[in-house]
């Protein structure tokens, strides 16, 4: 089962597979956190007392600067009828968030059989907003242009 190199490639193939067989195809996500592997000290052959204390200090410093645990996300799309398996793995935090929200939503729509509708900007609403602002300024000017004056404080 090879892994895809990019998330977009995995997403496109998964959508195509889900559109072909929406009732049988399954999408799974597995997130795991594993501790970082500690470094092994160099060859511990004959050392003097000074070298051993320096090595012990280095190990203690490495323990205090230990890397935080690393998480990884594995996404899998599987069709049991054809036996097709599509996999993608990442450990990038920003990509994990993007995939969980954007990709899983898109795949969920394909699984439900809902058409993927591209988002459109409402150009009419932008133009309507500009005319509404122009009308508000015209109404303010026609109303006498006056307002309450500031009260002066005692000096």
């Amino acid at each position: 089962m090879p892994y895809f190199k990019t998330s977009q490639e995995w997403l496109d193939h998964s959508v195509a597979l889900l559109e072909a067989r929406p009732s049988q195809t399954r999408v799974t996500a597995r997130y795991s956190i594993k501790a970082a592997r500690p470094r092994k000290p160099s060859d511990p052959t004959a050392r003097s007392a000074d070298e051993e204390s320096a090595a012990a200090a280095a190990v203690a410093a490495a323990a205090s600067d230990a890397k935080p645990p690393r998480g990884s996300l594995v996404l899998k799309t599987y069709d049991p009828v054809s036996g097709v398996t599509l996999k993608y793995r990442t450990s990038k935090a920003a990509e994990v968030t993007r995939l969980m929200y954007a990709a899983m939503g898109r795949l969920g729509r394909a699984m439900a059989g809902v058409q993927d509708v591209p988002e459109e900007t409402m150009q009419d609403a932008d133009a309507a907003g500009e005319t509404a602002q122009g009308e508000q300024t015209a109404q303010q000017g026609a109303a006498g242009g006056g307002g309450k004056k500031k009260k002066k404080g005692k000096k």
Side-chain angles (χ1 to χ4, degrees):
M1 288 180 266
Y3 287 90
F4 284 98
K5 293 189 185 287
T6 65
S7 60
Q8 189 61 43
E9 188 179 9
W10 172 84
L11 182 62
D12 293 339
H13 282 55
S14 294
V15 167
L17 187 60
L18 278 166
E19 287 174 353
R21 293 191 179 90
S23 60
Q24 292 102 6
T25 305
R26 298 289 170 240
V27 178
T28 60
R30 184 181 74 218
Y31 187 76
S32 61
I33 299 175
K34 296 181 181 176
R37 297 180 194 168
R39 287 188 164 188
K40 293 182 180 179
S42 60
D43 189 19
T45 55
R47 292 185 183 175
S48 65
D50 292 332
E51 289 176 346
E52 286 184 19
S53 63
V59 169
S64 65
D65 295 336
K67 292 182 179 179
R70 183 111 179 171
S72 72
L73 175 71
V74 177
L75 296 167
K76 182 171 87 170
T77 308
Y78 176 66
D79 179 25
V81 175
S82 64
V84 175
T85 302
L86 309 172
K87 283 184 151 186
Y88 179 71
R89 177 180 27 208
T90 185
S91 60
K92 298 176 184 173
E95 196 172 35
V96 167
T97 304
R98 184 183 69 82
L99 285 170
M100 290 306 291
Y101 289 109
M104 297 305 273
R106 184 175 168 195
L107 291 176
R109 285 192 298 271
M111 214 168 165
V114 178
Q115 291 291 330
D116 194 17
V117 180
E119 294 182 20
E120 296 180 12
T121 58
M122 295 179 57
Q123 296 174 357
D124 296 338
D126 294 338
E130 291 173 6
T131 57
Q133 289 176 354
E135 290 174 7
Q136 287 176 354
T137 55
Q139 288 175 355
Q140 288 174 354
K148 292 186 178 180
K149 294 183 179 181
K150 280 189 170 180
K151 292 182 181 179
K152 293 183 178 181
K154 292 183 182 180
K155 291 185 180 180

